[in-house]
Amino acid sequence: MRNAEIAAALDELADLNELDQAVVYRVVAYRQAARAVRESPAAVEQMAAQGRLTELRGIGKTIAEKIETLLETGEIPAAVKLKKKFPPALVELTRLPGLGPKTARKIYEELGISSAKDLRRAAKEERLRSVPGLGPKVEENILAALAVPAAKKGSSRRLLSHVLPIAEEIAAALRAHPAANEVEIAGSVRRMTDTCKDIDIIATANDPRALSEALATLPLVQDAATVGDAGARVVTNNGIAVDLRVVSPEQFGNVLQHLTGSKQHNVQLREYAVKRGLHVSEYGVEDDRAGRKHTCSSEHEVYDLLGLDYIEPELREGRGELEASIAHRLPTLIEESDLRGDLHCHTTASDGRNSMEQMAEAARKRGYSYLAVTDHSASFGFGNDVQADELLRQVERVRELNRGFGRFKLLAGSEVSILPDGSLDYPDSVLSELDWVNASVHSSFRMSEKAMTERILAAMESPYVDAIGHLTGRLLLKRDPYPLDVERVVEGALETGTMLEINGNPDRRDLSDTHARLAAAAGVEIVINSDAHGTDTLRLIRFGLATARRAWIEPSQVANTLPLVRLRRLRKQSRAAR
DNA sequence: GCCGTTTTCGGCCCGACTGTTTTCAGTCG
């Protein structure tokens, strides 16, 4: 059973308990356990088999037993029992916006309604208002919620790469406005999550209303819902909601911290503060003993007041950053300037848009000292493959070009496909001629977890494979990762000296942040690559860097922060020769 | 139901908004 399924079962158990009016802390505990399972980089089923479930924060003895029973029998007895008490559709109703468990239960008990169909009819017939505490407005809201088409409810999330440039454009425009003082992006965009729902911007201004109006009149803004002294709420032409909050300079730090989140981080921060007699909110930090509220003009002050080291936004996910901050053990996160090269890109030889020469020139302009050209291998397909003889000619061409370059070097490489049986798409005689080999899965995704894991482990056994590209094959918002035992792959990478790539293509970001953290912490060499298909997409490396930072990764854990000579020494081929 | 630099028992984040209330419960972020 996959982590997502176990997490869903725990969330359902939480919903059922909420309907049953269990103490809220039990419900919260199930939800937290669900989250811990969902975010676990390791396969929870395996952890259960090893009796390691309680290592996950939020899972104690009782929930561990429930998960074990779930894995053995396919069910959690407590959930089975509650499902007899409440019809399954009732749980669905609590997911309607504005309709929580308390209201749903009341409606069920008073009117016997447990389905969306019955609920709609009752609302239309104005029967809901007979339930104590409900009135005509509730009927109206329920009808509105039921009218939202299913397609609109689910994934209103978008890729960071779609949202970030718009957020930055807006922030730049606001900064340039004479009414503006400080302007910062907040929310998930600032934390550089894989996907985002909307854009939050916090500002201080000498004329708040003028700044709000400036946002409302930007060309990329379509609708301005509200515009006032406290800020503005608008929607861009491509449908992204933007929330501007204009606050007083004294509170800028508090509000920025609050609205950067994540929710989980803030909850943990506040719980920690309470133990020290402090109460954190977006308005300030209240001190029980002194009986006064401190406001903070900067985020650093907020963390300072709590006695914490400053926590970078990318780390604020409630994944141990608070404990690390308390212990002064936060990582020094990698930055763009730490990278000396890019080890994954394509040219017109496969499916890229620019020549090798153009890619080299663009890489040089970025300040890199090396770039590996890694076109697709012989059987990639779509006519975009590079046959062995062509690849060997490319190697020669690289050697020629390098004579003309100064310090900068092109590396002759390949993104060689890992075939279903774990073999590689070129013979060793060809691979051994290359300066850099990425091996990636591009076909037969629908294998069992065991087979896929063995396939990749086999590829790592090759002395010519330097790194595995986009390990799990996921495409954000489009395609789930194929089943894979990532912990086993990490072990294999360590055993064979194979590096693992964080692919910066914003549709992939694969390794994910949690997998990358697992791998790097285990000691696997990480490479961060753009997978650029043109000179204009080398910059997508920033999304790979964002994932690396969210994975707590320091420069020393990343192979392409090294000068070329040292990178070469890390390759299996040169290690074997030593 | 979890968890421990005040605790193995007694705590468990903070505030806004809404709709129904006449002082607040439910829901949301």
Side-chain angles (χ1 to χ4, degrees):
Chain A
M1 196 177 272
R2 304 183 72 172
N3 290 358
E5 297 167 70
I6 300 170
L10 289 170
D11 270 329
E12 188 190 42
L13 184 61
D15 290 339
L16 287 164
N17 269 278
E18 206 169 24
L19 275 175
D20 200 36
Q21 287 167 18
V23 281
V24 286
Y25 299 113
R26 192 156 79 196
V27 176
V28 169
Y30 289 142
R31 295 238 160 89
Q32 254 167 0
R35 175 178 168 272
V37 168
R38 193 173 285 114
E39 287 196 350
S40 164
V44 169
E45 175 154 24
Q46 253 182 41
M47 294 185 72
Q50 297 159 349
R52 290 166 49 210
L53 284 177
T54 52
E55 283 176 23
L56 292 171
R57 166 183 276 275
I59 296 189
K61 201 163 153 271
T62 311
I63 294 182
E65 275 168 19
K66 286 184 159 59
I67 293 173
E68 281 156 10
T69 312
L70 173 69
L71 291 170
E72 276 163 33
T73 69
E75 289 175 323
I76 302 176
V80 174
K81 208 168 130 197
L82 286 171
K83 276 190 228 177
K84 283 183 190 141
K85 200 163 162 187
F86 305 107
L90 192 57
V91 175
E92 293 301 315
L93 287 189
T94 66
R95 302 209 171 113
L96 277 178
L99 184 63
K102 299 264 166 56
T103 316
R105 178 168 171 151
K106 240 192 307 195
I107 292 172
Y108 173 59
E109 285 183 339
E110 298 277 332
L111 302 173
I113 289 169
S114 66
S115 73
K117 205 174 125 218
D118 290 348
L119 184 66
R120 178 181 285 119
R121 190 183 315 135
K124 270 196 184 143
E125 292 170 359
E126 305 186 345
R127 282 189 285 124
L128 293 183
R129 61 186 68 176
S130 69
V131 179
L134 303 192
K137 195 70 193 166
V138 171
E139 286 170 344
E140 202 179 296
N141 291 345
I142 284 176
L143 284 173
L146 284 167
V148 178
K152 266 201 133 178
K153 277 185 236 167
S155 73
S156 56
R157 299 193 76 84
R158 298 155 184 263
L159 289 178
L160 178 64
S161 54
H162 294 168
V163 180
L164 181 62
I166 292 168
E168 286 177 331
E169 188 180 338
I170 292 172
L174 294 179
R175 278 187 195 116
H177 193 273
N181 294 322
E182 280 187 279
V183 177
E184 284 294 338
I185 298 168
S188 57
V189 180
R190 183 158 180 245
R191 302 199 313 279
M192 302 288 272
T193 55
D194 292 336
T195 60
C196 309
K197 210 168 87 253
D198 50 20
I199 296 172
D200 287 303
I201 295 179
I202 322 297
T204 62
N206 48 51
D207 184 349
R209 180 167 290 265
L211 193 64
S212 296
E213 277 163 7
L215 170 63
T217 51
L218 286 179
L220 54 73
V221 166
Q222 186 175 53
D223 289 316
T226 55
V227 179
D229 291 333
R233 181 165 293 166
V234 305
V235 178
T236 65
N237 290 322
N238 43 17
I240 302 172
V242 183
D243 219 338
L244 169 69
R245 292 271 301 261
V246 186
V247 302
S248 74
E250 308 87 68
Q251 287 185 325
F252 182 72
N254 299 109
V255 177
L256 182 60
Q257 195 285 321
H258 172 74
L259 287 175
T260 295
S262 66
K263 178 179 162 64
Q264 205 58 38
H265 173 79
N266 285 349
V267 167
Q268 291 182 9
L269 190 77
R270 290 163 181 196
E271 282 172 352
Y272 170 75
V274 166
K275 289 181 195 154
R276 302 173 54 115
L278 299 168
H279 301 274
V280 178
S281 77
E282 64 180 301
Y283 302 106
V285 180
E286 200 165 341
D287 190 329
D288 280 344
R289 278 186 307 184
R292 63 170 289 230
K293 187 174 271 190
H294 303 273
T295 55
C296 304
S297 60
S298 78
E299 268 189 334
H300 281 85
E301 281 178 53
V302 178
Y303 289 97
D304 260 2
L305 259 177
L306 300 173
L308 294 168
D309 288 350
Y310 178 75
I311 300 172
E312 296 284 355
E314 294 95 326
L315 298 181
R316 300 183 199 167
E317 295 292 343
R319 295 175 182 165
E321 68 276 11
L322 203 67
E323 292 83 346
S325 171
I326 293 165
H328 308 296
R329 289 215 182 105
L330 284 168
T332 305
L333 297 180
I334 187 166
E335 293 175 15
E336 188 146 352
S337 57
D338 292 318
L339 291 183
R340 303 219 192 189
D342 193 328
L343 296 166
H344 186 167
C345 77
H346 298 266
T347 72
T348 47
S350 65
D351 55 353
R353 293 180 302 275
N354 293 101
S355 68
M356 213 153 60
E357 291 85 344
Q358 289 168 326
M359 293 302 286
E361 184 51 34
R364 236 169 19 158
K365 271 199 187 133
R366 291 186 59 84
Y368 289 153
S369 49
Y370 49 89
L371 174 71
V373 172
T374 55
D375 280 306
H376 285 294
S377 60
S379 62
F380 179 65
F382 309 106
N384 289 326
D385 44 43
V386 177
Q387 295 298 314
D389 52 341
E390 192 185 346
L391 179 60
L392 292 174
R393 283 196 297 277
Q394 202 182 43
V395 174
E396 277 177 39
R397 179 75 186 130
V398 166
R399 306 279 179 258
E400 276 172 36
L401 285 170
N402 276 341
R403 282 196 281 277
F405 294 136
R407 229 177 98 255
F408 178 84
K409 294 294 173 218
L410 270 183
L411 305 185
S414 172
E415 181 179 16
V416 61
S417 288
I418 303 173
L419 304 176
D421 65 356
S423 66
L424 300 166
D425 207 10
Y426 291 122
D428 283 358
S429 60
V430 172
L431 292 174
S432 63
E433 294 297 313
L434 299 174
D435 303 317
W436 185 259
V437 178
N438 271 320
S440 310
V441 168
H442 288 119
S443 63
S444 304
F445 293 151
R446 301 169 71 113
M447 296 170 78
S448 71
E449 176 177 317
K450 187 161 176 290
M452 188 61 92
T453 305
E454 273 163 17
R455 177 182 183 181
I456 290 171
L457 288 173
M460 292 196 303
E461 290 294 333
S462 161
Y464 303 109
V465 168
D466 295 302
I468 302 293
H470 48 72
L471 181 65
T472 73
R474 73 172 182 170
L475 291 178
L476 292 165
L477 304 176
K478 283 197 209 111
R479 184 172 77 203
D480 284 338
Y482 37 71
L484 183 69
D485 183 346
V486 175
E487 276 189 305
R488 181 70 196 97
V489 169
V490 164
E491 279 170 28
L494 279 175
E495 285 160 15
T496 58
T498 310
M499 308 184 200
L500 293 179
E501 173 190 74
I502 295 176
N503 188 297
N505 181 322
D507 293 276
R508 295 188 180 272
R509 298 181 69 177
D510 183 10
L511 307 170
S512 67
D513 50 12
T514 51
H515 285 151
R517 186 171 170 190
L518 177 81
V524 173
E525 291 285 345
I526 302 293
V527 290
I528 305 174
N529 295 327
S530 68
D531 197 357
H533 282 64
T535 54
D536 56 340
T537 42
L538 283 169
R539 64 186 160 75
L540 297 182
I541 196 78
R542 81 180 290 196
F543 296 102
L545 275 156
T547 292
R549 290 170 62 86
R550 292 176 54 77
W552 296 49
I553 286 178
E554 307 201 357
S556 63
Q557 297 172 301
V558 177
N560 51 326
T561 62
L562 296 173
L564 188 53
V565 264
R566 289 185 54 201
L567 175 67
R568 283 195 175 123
R569 273 188 242 135
L570 268 186
R571 300 184 72 208
K572 282 182 218 168
Q573 286 192 65
S574 51
R575 286 185 193 188
R578 260 183 276 163

